Amino acid sequence: MNNIVWTIAGSDSSAGAGIQADLATFNDLGADPCSVITAVTAQNSVSVQLVESVSEKMFTQQLASLAEDMPAKVIKIGLMASVEHVKILAQQLALYKQTWQKAPFVIYDPVAVASTGDDMTEEGIIEVIKAELLPQIDLLTPNANEVLTLSGHALISGESFKPAVDKLIDMGCGSVLIKGGHFELVDNVALDYWSDGKREIALTSPRLENVHTHGTGCTLSSAIAGAMALDYFIEDALVIAKAYLNQGLKASKALGAGEGAIAHCGWPTNHDDFPEIVLPESSIGYELDLPGRLEAGPGFEP
Ligand code: PXL
């Protein structure tokens, strides 16, 4: 029995993010990793110097080589720098879902689609991502900026999470995890919110003040992918991934003049690293309007 998980992402020469972070995460959790490289980046801890997408031929062949012999249970997508790659990938994902014995679960961390920090990607890519890639995605993992870019919804309060997620689900995603790394709904609390439009879950952890956070987005989505490749249900995978992230953040350090990257330290085992589930009757539950939605029952549309 294999637990194959693919990462489709960019190479980071500083090895803190991208393919390098994804593979380290899959290995730590015990999944069986494969990789498809979308772009090569030359970067250090201070800045990104050069980004070059691989040729369409090379991108397509990597997918074909793996599809033929090593189909995945879970596919994690990171940096997509080329419009043509997005179109090819959307088409291939649709094909895998129709033709593979078991449809892969597809996770997309929409790296560099935010209006800030968009310099790693080609012009016009966001429209193609919205129209063609999002409908193939089972779990999207945006931060607040990426939510705004993709859905037009600004996360201004707890109550704004659910409508933003519902919009992204209308656009074709199966479910959405909003990462709270940049969103301080409650002082000193990091909050992540997940919903598939019917079920929902929010997780909180004490905010960690570590400045060495390069690669946290890649690592979180890869940890979810790795755990799902081991057959954990999505809610459990979110908890494991968050614990893996907290553990790695506590051990991260600088290696160059700039920000350091998250560390990779094996399966999370420390109780303090595990997040808490938000209960409807808690203060954060009220902020998110969980009691109101529970009362309205499943399938409630705001
Ligand atoms: O963390 C986002 C990210 C994803 N993929 C690659 C990156 C980065 C950030 O630098 O270099 C290849």
Side-chain angles (χ1 to χ4, degrees):
M1 175 60 178
N2 70 55
N3 301 311
I4 295 179
V5 50
W6 298 358
T7 169
I8 300 175
S11 166
D12 168 2
S13 55
S14 76
I19 287 276
Q20 288 83 356
D22 298 344
L23 296 179
T25 305
F26 298 156
N27 280 319
D28 264 0
L29 295 183
D32 300 316
C34 295
S35 66
V36 170
I37 297 188
T38 57
V40 179
T41 73
Q43 62 181 295
N44 51 33
S45 69
V46 178
S47 62
V48 178
Q49 286 81 38
L50 187 63
V51 179
E52 262 182 29
S53 288
V54 302
S55 69
E56 279 162 47
K57 185 174 173 194
M58 176 51 90
F59 181 63
T60 308
Q61 186 60 54
Q62 291 177 81
L63 292 170
S65 298
L66 293 180
E68 186 185 319
D69 184 48
M70 303 169 83
K73 280 162 87 173
V74 182
I75 297 175
K76 178 250 150 108
I77 305 163
L79 176 65
M80 298 297 298
S82 140
V83 170
E84 202 50 43
H85 286 183
V86 175
K87 292 182 177 171
I88 293 167
L89 181 58
Q91 247 174 18
Q92 291 302 307
L93 292 172
L95 187 73
Y96 304 158
K97 289 185 180 205
Q98 282 163 14
T99 58
W100 287 6
Q101 211 168 24
K102 188 164 187 307
F105 188 88
V106 181
I107 302 177
Y108 177 36
D109 182 27
V111 177
V113 301
S115 40
T116 52
D118 193 13
D119 52 354
M120 293 212 279
T121 59
E122 241 175 39
E123 285 256 320
I125 202 164
I126 290 170
E127 290 316 311
V128 185
I129 286 172
K130 284 194 208 171
E132 300 191 26
L133 191 56
L134 293 194
Q136 303 303 329
I137 301 306
D138 298 301
L139 171 63
L140 183 75
T141 62
N143 61 28
N145 286 331
E146 293 155 355
V147 169
L148 180 61
T149 304
L150 292 172
S151 74
H153 283 247
L155 299 177
I156 44 168
S157 68
E159 286 178 11
S160 60
F161 279 64
K162 172 83 171 133
V165 165
D166 285 343
K167 175 74 194 296
L168 291 164
I169 289 173
D170 277 351
M171 294 168 76
C173 300
S175 69
V176 180
L177 174 72
I178 298 179
K179 295 179 295 193
H182 300 94
F183 192 90
E184 192 124 3
L185 188 64
V186 178
D187 284 352
N188 301 319
V189 171
L191 175 115
D192 296 313
Y193 174 84
W194 173 86
S195 176
D196 65 0
K198 298 185 192 77
R199 293 175 297 157
E200 59 187 337
I201 178 176
L203 304 170
T204 57
S205 290
R207 184 174 291 279
L208 299 172
E209 290 308 329
N210 197 327
V211 293
H212 304 304
T213 58
H214 183 59
T216 46
C218 303
T219 297
L220 182 72
S221 55
S222 288
I224 299 167
M228 291 193 75
L230 301 177
D231 293 330
Y232 283 95
F233 288 120
I234 188 161
E235 289 91 339
D236 291 325
L238 298 177
V239 170
I240 293 165
K242 185 74 181 175
Y244 183 76
L245 198 81
N246 286 337
Q247 169 183 265
L249 275 172
K250 287 179 185 169
S252 67
K253 62 179 186 201
L255 296 173
E259 180 190 299
I262 182 165
H264 297 272
C265 312
W267 257 90
T269 50
N270 185 346
H271 175 262
D272 291 345
D273 293 332
F274 282 76
E276 285 183 19
I277 308 270
V278 173
L279 296 174
E281 300 299 327
S282 65
S283 58
I284 299 177
Y286 277 109
E287 281 264 12
L288 292 166
D289 195 27
L290 296 180
R293 289 203 290 278
L294 277 182
E295 218 163 87
F300 168 72
E301 306 267 275

